[in-house]
Amino acid sequence: MLSIFEQCKRYNVAVNLLFHRISEKKCCKGTIFYEIAAKDFNPRSSSRIAHSSQFIAYFVSLFYLMQYPKDNFIFGLHPVIEAIQSGKEIEKVFLQTNLTSAVAKELQRLLRENNILFQYVPLEKLRRITPKNHQGVVAYVSEITYQKIEDILPFLFEKGKIPLLLILDEITDVRNMGAIVRTAECAGADAVVIPQKGSALINAEGMKASAGALNILPVCREKSLAEAVRFMQESGVQVIGCTEKAESSYTSIDLTIPTAFILGSEGKGISGELLRLCDKQAKIPLIGKIESLNVSVTAGIVLFESLRQRTANAPVK
């Protein structure tokens, strides 16, 4: 009896054929995998090795497609150029290293002019995203339309609102991002501010985690969070850094005035530059052995404390 590895190697052509058929069908459900396997391979083969190779192909293919990103992306030089020119919101673009054609140079010019984040990557990375003819470029299309804090903040003051904002410093987990935006919308926050670089891509998974809040709450994507913070401060917004290193509790701060909370990633926390810009720093007292909270939990605690303070004298509904 041949080993699993030897069977995979021996039936490599069959496995590649199954990969191709699955990719063309763009499916990911096990029932469809089985239908494809049954069509391409004879399940009544008298050879035990050939019969087992069908199942090897099945599970290897399942693992293969699990590596495919489920994000909304487009590929090809002209489709990406047309998407940018039509005003589509582009999250990020991957360009193959050493693209030198005239069309490729035109794309790079458009990316720079429109301040779209892009990265040069090897061909292998692009092939892992899509096996089709990508022409050296893959672009992730955003699920939402981003705003600018320079537009949102004056509008809030004109409406007579007391702004409540959330600044997310390099939150890279898309589910955390979605959960935070959901909580922010429920607590009455006015906008969420994220950096252009180093933040989670807002994809279908993030939309689901937000329970639709990403379609309601404005998300401002800024090239520099430090510049965005300075703009807020100049506009009369107090900026509070939420960090376990702070001395004051979040409940001791007046949150009835225009306020923006900064939350950092669970690995790095708030960057030193942003911490130095904060008007105040606040912590959530913890008495257990675990020294920190999930960032989405932190967001919920400070946002609802702000809501509590702002509605303390309001009639209960």
Side-chain angles (χ1 to χ4, degrees):
M1 183 75 179
L2 295 177
S3 68
I4 294 294
F5 174 77
E6 289 168 332
Q7 291 178 45
C8 281
K9 186 176 180 181
R10 180 168 176 175
Y11 291 93
N12 183 55
V13 175
V15 171
N16 284 335
L17 174 61
L18 185 56
F19 286 170
H20 174 72
R21 288 183 58 78
I22 291 169
S23 175
E24 288 299 314
K25 278 184 171 279
K26 299 180 181 178
C27 61
C28 60
K29 292 185 180 295
T31 55
I32 305 297
F33 274 108
Y34 183 79
E35 290 171 7
I36 295 171
K39 184 175 180 180
D40 284 326
F41 305 99
N42 180 9
R44 297 185 181 182
S45 170
S46 58
S47 168
R48 293 179 62 190
I49 295 174
H51 182 68
S52 63
S53 73
Q54 297 169 35
F55 294 96
I56 293 168
Y58 172 90
F59 287 111
V60 172
S61 299
L62 179 61
F63 175 79
Y64 176 83
L65 277 193
M66 285 173 64
Q67 313 309 310
Y68 273 60
K70 299 179 178 60
D71 304 285
N72 183 19
F73 63 85
I74 55 177
F75 52 87
L77 288 165
H78 289 290
V80 173
I81 288 174
E82 290 168 5
I84 295 170
Q85 291 176 336
S86 68
K88 283 190 179 295
E89 197 78 48
I90 306 295
E91 287 273 6
K92 187 175 184 178
V93 177
F94 288 127
L95 293 174
Q96 182 181 332
T97 307
N98 299 325
L99 284 181
T100 58
S101 69
V103 179
K105 290 179 180 178
E106 171 66 11
L107 173 59
Q108 293 171 49
R109 182 188 66 79
L110 281 173
L111 292 172
R112 292 188 176 96
E113 282 185 1
N114 290 274
N115 197 28
I116 296 172
L117 187 65
F118 67 94
Q119 179 182 348
Y120 293 104
V121 297
L123 178 60
E124 291 73 20
K125 182 175 180 66
L126 297 175
R127 284 175 174 168
R128 286 197 298 270
I129 298 173
T130 176
K132 297 187 177 181
N133 183 20
H134 48 67
Q135 297 178 314
V137 56
V138 173
Y140 287 85
V141 181
S142 177
E143 298 277 351
I144 64 172
T145 299
Y146 291 105
Q147 310 292 331
K148 287 293 181 183
I149 192 62
E150 292 87 351
D151 300 325
I152 293 291
L153 199 51
F155 175 74
L156 293 173
F157 282 120
E158 287 172 9
K159 289 181 64 178
K161 297 195 69 175
I162 302 173
L164 178 59
L165 309 168
L166 207 54
I167 304 168
L168 305 182
D169 183 18
E170 295 194 8
I171 305 297
T172 56
D173 187 296
V174 68
R175 287 166 295 183
N176 269 342
M177 172 81 76
I180 290 169
V181 175
R182 179 180 183 176
T183 300
E185 200 283 326
C186 290
D190 297 296
V192 172
V193 182
I194 63 174
Q196 184 184 49
K197 187 176 181 180
S199 182
L201 294 178
I202 296 179
N203 55 17
E205 189 176 2
M207 297 295 288
K208 181 179 179 181
S210 78
L214 280 163
N215 288 321
I216 302 171
L217 190 65
V219 178
C220 304
R221 186 167 62 171
E222 303 295 333
K223 187 173 182 179
S224 169
L225 284 186
E227 289 300 319
V229 166
R230 292 188 185 98
F231 173 77
M232 293 179 203
Q233 291 170 325
E234 291 169 0
S235 301
V237 177
Q238 68 168 347
V239 178
I240 300 171
C242 299
T243 170
E244 70 277 6
K245 299 174 183 178
E247 296 182 358
S248 301
S249 169
Y250 71 103
T251 56
S252 66
I253 298 174
D254 180 10
L255 303 177
T256 62
I257 62 176
T259 300
F261 293 106
I262 302 182
L263 300 177
S265 66
E266 293 184 37
K268 300 177 183 178
I270 302 172
S271 69
E273 180 184 18
L274 291 182
L275 270 178
R276 287 189 292 272
L277 287 174
C278 290
D279 299 301
K280 297 175 184 176
Q281 296 181 18
K283 67 178 180 181
I284 299 171
L286 303 175
I287 60 174
K289 294 182 180 179
I290 306 300
E291 297 181 351
S292 64
L293 296 170
N294 178 277
V295 65
S296 64
V297 175
T298 299
I301 291 173
V302 298
L303 285 170
F304 277 94
E305 170 61 17
S306 176
L307 178 62
R308 185 195 69 79
Q309 290 187 21
R310 294 180 181 207
T311 59
N313 298 321
V316 178
K317 294 183 179 180

